Amino acid sequence: MKSFSKKQVTGNNVKNQLVMKIISENKIQQDIVMWYKNNFCLKHHNPRQCIFSVPNDSINAIETKRKVNTGLLTGVSDLIVLHNGECLFIEVKTSTGKQQESQKDFENTVTLQGFKYYLVRSLEDFKNIITNI
């Protein structure tokens, strides 16, 4: 039986926690996109609304460099929603997730220009925003 040092176990725990956080944020984001598309983005909706993500992750340094050269913006919100004539920027976090500095900078940039930026932690948070606009 293989034994693990405390450092190895701790390192694996941190990695597992990071993976679970990503999965949780992805799940929240998927729920939001599915709900919004089904309620506002179908062809029979008039006016038809729009929700989309901006994939900011890269597999390697070459892909990152290509994306930077074509407009990758660090900190951009997870979702952009065009809803009833407004452009909403939605950042998805878990209940314990915190914004990175680049995300705070992006929030500041868009809000200073008069756009709405929201930090949501659940589908219910998102539904509340949409129903109160």
Side-chain angles (χ1 to χ4, degrees), residues 67-79:
K67 285 184 174 184
V68 167
N69 289 339
T70 58
L72 172 74
L73 179 61
T74 304
V76 71
S77 61
D78 294 312
L79 296 168

Side-chain angles (χ1 to χ4, degrees), residues 9-23:
V9 172
T10 303
N12 286 336
N13 288 342
V14 170
K15 182 179 177 182
N16 289 341
Q17 289 172 356
L18 180 59
V19 168
M20 291 307 295
K21 178 182 176 186
I22 291 168
I23 291 170

Side-chain angles (χ1 to χ4, degrees), residues 2-9 12:
K2 186 175 179 182
S3 64
F4 295 96
S5 70
K6 184 176 182 180
K7 184 176 182 180
Q8 288 172 314
V9 172
N12 286 336

Side-chain angles (χ1 to χ4, degrees), residues 110-128:
V110 298
T111 56
L112 284 174
Q113 294 188 44
F115 294 104
K116 295 179 180 175
Y117 181 99
Y118 298 95
L119 179 63
V120 300
R121 299 183 183 280
S122 68
L123 174 58
E124 291 307 313
D125 284 354
F126 181 76
K127 286 180 178 180
N128 288 333

Side-chain angles (χ1 to χ4, degrees), residues 29-53 79-86 88 126 130:
Q29 185 169 330
Q30 288 172 7
D31 290 347
I32 288 168
V33 169
M34 183 66 70
W35 177 82
Y36 191 81
K37 282 185 173 184
N38 285 334
N39 288 282
F40 298 98
C41 301
L42 301 177
K43 288 185 179 183
H44 70 274
H45 291 126
N46 189 15
R48 188 175 180 190
Q49 309 299 320
C50 181
I51 187 170
F52 59 95
S53 66
L79 296 168
I80 299 172
V81 181
L82 305 178
H83 185 79
N84 292 337
E86 294 199 47
L88 313 174
F126 181 76
I130 295 302

